[in-house]
Amino acid sequence: MAEQLRMYGVLVWAWTRSAAQYPVSLVLLGVGSAVVTGLDALAIVIVFTGADRLGGFTAAEVLFLYATAALAFQASDALLGNTELLSRHVREGTFDTMMTRPVSPLVQIATERFNPRRPIRIVLPAVLLALVLPRLDVPWTPGRAAVVAVMVVSGTAIFCGIWVLAASVQFVLMESHGATKSLTYGGGFLTQYPLSLFARDFVRGVTFVVPLAFVNWQPALYVLDRPDPLGLPGPARFASPAVAVVTCAAAALAWRTGLRRYRSTGN
């Protein structure tokens, strides 16, 4: 594991140095990515020009949900977002080449053509989170501060697991790329808003089937001192780390299973 992490860092650095050969392009792409990331936050601000609350939450509270969700999703996208390209590699036969190298195929796909503009997208949500935290109408305690930090880390791990799970499906369903985006990009968008906006059955699905509710919703209920619309017990607010471990373990199992089933191009 340590060796694979080291190789991940080596490959990321190599691609970053390659991108840095064109500094103007790199800066423009980074600024453009940051602006696009901020459009969702701008949409939330526009909504609150005509409403006091959204799903029972104030503007500061919704922006808190947006910032934590966007921070976790963009971090996971920077780390493992390239795994969505697996089906293309299988079709073109380039995955066979990856299998022959002394580096994990997952590491190779995740770092392929790594572009620094992806981690740049983390900046805006991080700044927004720092700005909105003092505006939340809650008594800040060490426990609440710790939950905010843990929810970002756990949310990132959950999204990383979902990226790998979605990629693993492509070993079997070659044309599933569009459908799996509903779990990755769709999940990133969904978690930016209060789940109280959605039907109870849908919320149950993103709680017990695809654990998106544990990215930021459940811990946010503790931070904001809000009741759970589903009536889940109090300990559910602190379950994000455990859910992250289970999700990543399921992703690792699915990836290994996919590798064992792989029989070269066209399978």
Side-chain angles (χ1 to χ4, degrees):
M1 176 63 73
E3 177 62 18
Q4 296 302 328
L5 290 175
R6 188 186 72 82
M7 289 305 304
Y8 183 99
V10 168
L11 292 172
V12 164
W13 176 241
W15 283 110
T16 301
R17 288 184 60 188
S18 175
Q21 300 303 309
Y22 305 92
V24 175
S25 175
L26 178 61
V27 170
L28 291 177
L29 286 172
V31 171
S33 295
V35 170
V36 170
T37 302
L39 292 179
D40 289 336
L42 179 61
I44 293 173
V45 172
I46 293 173
V47 167
F48 276 99
T49 59
D52 294 329
R53 291 178 177 269
L54 185 64
F57 289 76
T58 65
E61 291 170 338
V62 175
L63 287 173
F64 169 67
L65 290 171
Y66 163 81
T68 51
L71 188 55
F73 178 76
Q74 296 300 343
S76 71
D77 185 27
L79 291 169
L80 291 171
N82 267 358
T83 54
E84 67 175 350
L85 302 176
L86 174 64
S87 61
R88 190 194 74 186
H89 284 291
V90 172
R91 286 196 304 270
E92 295 177 356
T94 51
F95 190 73
D96 291 11
T97 303
M98 292 182 177
M99 293 282 287
T100 65
R101 296 170 180 162
V103 181
S104 166
L106 181 61
V107 171
Q108 294 181 62
I109 292 177
T111 58
E112 183 188 32
R113 299 189 181 278
F114 182 88
N115 196 306
R117 75 175 184 270
R118 283 192 167 187
I120 289 174
R121 295 173 188 168
I122 299 171
V123 175
L124 182 62
V127 171
L128 181 59
L129 181 60
L131 293 174
V132 79
L133 285 178
R135 291 168 171 76
L136 296 177
D137 187 20
V138 295
W140 283 103
T141 63
R144 277 193 168 90
V147 168
V148 172
V150 170
M151 70 192 288
V152 172
V153 175
S154 298
T156 301
I158 291 171
F159 272 129
C160 283
I162 291 174
W163 278 113
V164 177
L165 282 168
S168 301
V169 172
Q170 297 177 39
F171 279 116
V172 180
L173 303 176
M174 295 299 300
E175 302 301 327
S176 64
H177 184 219
T180 55
K181 281 190 174 183
S182 63
L183 294 177
T184 53
Y185 293 99
F189 180 78
L190 172 71
T191 51
Q192 296 174 6
Y193 292 89
L195 292 188
S196 54
L197 290 171
F198 305 99
R200 291 176 66 88
D201 288 340
F202 179 79
V203 177
R204 290 189 182 96
V206 297
T207 301
F208 301 111
V209 181
V210 182
L212 293 171
F214 294 96
V215 169
N216 64 341
W217 174 247
Q218 282 296 331
L221 292 177
Y222 169 77
V223 173
L224 302 176
D225 195 22
R226 294 299 191 94
D228 184 356
L230 291 182
L232 295 181
R237 314 292 194 277
F238 310 101
S240 292
V243 172
V245 170
V246 172
T247 304
C248 290
L253 178 61
W255 179 262
R256 290 179 179 275
T257 301
L259 286 180
R260 286 196 296 268
R261 289 174 57 92
Y262 180 70
R263 293 295 181 270
S264 190
T265 302
N267 68 319

